[in-house]
Amino acid sequence: MLPVPTIPAFMPPRRILMGPGPSDVYPEVLAAQSRPTIGHLDPLFVGMMDELKSLIQYAFQTKNEMTLAVSAPGSAGMETCFVNLVEPGEKVIVCRNGVFGERMRQNVERVGGVAVVVDNEWGEPVCPDKVEAALVAHPDAKFLAFVHAETSTGALSDAKTLCTLAQLHDCISIVDAVTSLGGVELLVDEWGIDAIYSGSQKCLSCVPGLSPVSFSPKAVAKLKARTTQVQSWFLDQTLVMGYWGNGNGAKRSYHHTAPVNALYALHESLRLLANEGLENAWARHRKMHQLLRDGLTKLGLKFVVEEASRLPQLNTVYIPDGVDDAAVRKHLLEEYNLEIGAGLGALAGKAWRIGLMGYGARRENVSLCLHALEESLNQN
């Protein structure tokens, strides 16, 4: 037999998470996750799921019946949308202005779709004129896919305008709202978004591992009209909805063992968001961004994204010449228990990503971050 492992209990330090995610988790959410586990078909749990569904609908501002939380992180929410909607050979206009637009392209190709890529510079929002030109050039396109809030750069695209273009060209829109949900204005029904996914670990300040998603009636009709089987059994929404309920009081059918305690946590984080009010949450993120922006500017740091297209909850700044990226982030972590994010893709080694998400969008976090950065830059 193998020797008995002698491993102590893992006791993580209390970090201040100001990177691109996960964000600081509300204490009430951590407490909710520690409540007793009950069965995922227990009537009390089913009742909680109904409440959770209504809370997700509120956060997305939608009445879509097919609204739920995928039992996996935002990347699985992305895959849920593509594997359920896109069939082999179907053409998708994919907007790419960072890492996550590129992941959309990869999803399209993995399900056998044809990706028509509309490229924009890193740090810029998706250009509606380029999208319109692509839609005109490809009248057989069935989908328009774009990232509302590009986590790799901090750029915010005009989802309302892009979805209007999709509607004009009879396309189904697929929208990545992983970093935008709860942090900036997002109106699914009013803007005509057809399929949308997010993540629990960003502006919702919940534990990582869940992905709120929503499908419009148009998207549901496309799913039901498929002539090929959904590629993924686990993510097949025609099966999953039997567990989440279809709104007519039908008995829930077993699909998989839901992450019971994580769903408690999401229920609590969305309840807190509803109590604060979406417009108040959006305003809080803007206010904290302005404080951080002013402080970073005084330190001589330059933003990657122009102010008009800048996400308040994800602030990407260029690393000054001669400054050691890893050394600064290490100093912040070891001396202040403060985490900020490194650059991704084209911005790797060139930028820092500073998050102000959910519970982390607080004045004391802004003050600590600015003080710690100033000290680190003076030492570098």
Side-chain angles (χ1 to χ4, degrees):
M1 290 182 66
L2 292 174
V4 177
T6 53
I7 300 173
F10 178 64
M11 300 296 291
R14 185 173 293 278
R15 303 285 199 203
I16 298 165
L17 302 179
M18 295 187 68
S23 63
D24 279 348
V25 178
Y26 286 105
E28 298 95 327
V29 171
L30 289 174
Q33 186 169 247
S34 69
R35 292 169 187 160
T37 303
I38 58 177
H40 61 283
L41 292 174
D42 186 302
L44 292 177
F45 187 70
V46 169
M48 188 278 288
M49 289 173 62
D50 289 336
E51 293 178 351
L52 178 54
K53 179 175 178 176
S54 69
L55 288 165
I56 299 172
Q57 288 172 322
Y58 170 74
F60 276 136
Q61 287 294 283
T62 183
K63 295 178 180 177
N64 289 341
E65 184 60 36
M66 188 177 277
T67 299
L68 54 94
V70 175
S71 300
S75 294
M78 178 188 296
E79 192 159 339
T80 295
C81 291
F82 286 99
V83 299
N84 280 275
L85 295 175
V86 182
E87 294 192 75
E90 292 184 332
K91 190 175 286 186
V92 185
I93 307 295
V94 180
C95 305
R96 182 170 61 184
N97 62 336
V99 166
F100 295 95
E102 165 60 15
R103 290 192 184 179
M104 282 184 150
R105 183 196 66 79
Q106 293 178 26
N107 269 267
V108 169
E109 296 189 347
R110 283 175 181 264
V111 299
V114 178
V116 176
V117 178
V118 175
D119 271 321
N120 295 266
E121 293 296 322
W122 282 57
E124 294 183 0
V126 173
C127 175
D129 290 341
K130 288 184 178 181
V131 171
E132 185 172 24
L135 289 166
V136 170
H138 299 274
D140 55 337
K142 293 186 179 296
F143 302 91
L144 171 64
F146 65 90
V147 180
H148 184 211
E150 177 53 71
T151 314
S152 61
T153 66
L156 177 68
S157 292
D158 184 350
K160 181 179 181 180
T161 297
L162 294 172
C163 288
T164 297
L165 287 172
Q167 292 163 17
L168 290 173
H169 292 269
D170 197 25
C171 283
I172 289 173
S173 53
I174 301 176
V175 179
D176 180 321
V178 169
T179 300
S180 57
L181 182 63
V184 290
E185 184 180 44
L186 177 59
L187 306 172
V188 168
D189 286 357
E190 184 176 322
W191 295 351
I193 297 173
D194 292 307
I196 190 165
Y197 58 90
S198 189
S200 56
Q201 78 280 16
K202 305 280 188 174
C203 293
L204 301 185
S205 277
C206 184
V207 295
L210 294 169
S211 177
V213 300
S214 187
F215 291 79
S216 72
K218 183 178 179 180
V220 172
K222 176 66 172 73
L223 170 57
K224 290 181 176 178
R226 288 183 67 102
T227 59
T228 59
Q229 196 171 39
V230 174
Q231 187 184 46
S232 167
W233 178 89
F234 182 69
L235 299 176
D236 185 343
Q237 294 306 286
T238 62
L239 303 176
V240 175
M241 279 304 291
Y243 176 58
W244 274 87
N246 55 17
N248 61 10
K251 184 179 179 181
R252 305 297 173 102
S253 59
Y254 167 73
H255 180 263
H256 65 277
T257 301
V260 171
N261 292 65
L263 289 170
Y264 294 166
L266 183 59
H267 180 279
E268 182 65 12
S269 72
L270 288 169
R271 194 186 68 81
L272 292 172
L273 176 63
N275 285 350
E276 180 178 11
L278 275 174
E279 292 183 343
N280 292 330
W282 300 336
R284 173 168 56 85
H285 282 87
R286 284 195 304 272
K287 184 176 181 179
M288 292 304 105
H289 160 72
Q290 289 161 359
L291 289 174
L292 181 66
R293 175 202 62 195
D294 293 347
L296 293 174
T297 301
K298 287 179 181 177
L299 293 177
L301 297 175
K302 298 181 186 291
F303 280 83
V304 171
V305 181
E306 294 295 326
E307 188 159 2
S309 305
R310 192 180 299 160
L311 276 172
Q313 63 266 44
L314 186 62
N315 301 265
T316 306
V317 293
Y318 288 111
I319 300 169
D321 291 340
V323 171
D324 188 324
D325 168 26
V328 169
R329 288 187 289 107
K330 181 181 178 182
H331 178 78
L332 296 181
L333 197 64
E334 292 181 349
E335 299 300 322
Y336 290 93
N337 269 325
L338 174 65
E339 177 183 281
I340 65 171
L344 274 183
L347 294 175
K350 300 177 182 178
W352 291 315
R353 291 179 296 158
I354 304 173
L356 286 172
M357 299 183 188
Y359 182 59
R362 309 197 309 279
R363 187 180 294 270
E364 57 265 40
N365 280 9
V366 173
S367 297
L368 176 65
C369 182
L370 291 172
H371 171 75
L373 269 175
E374 182 177 21
E375 178 186 277
S376 298
L377 290 171
N378 287 338
Q379 290 181 2
N380 213 274

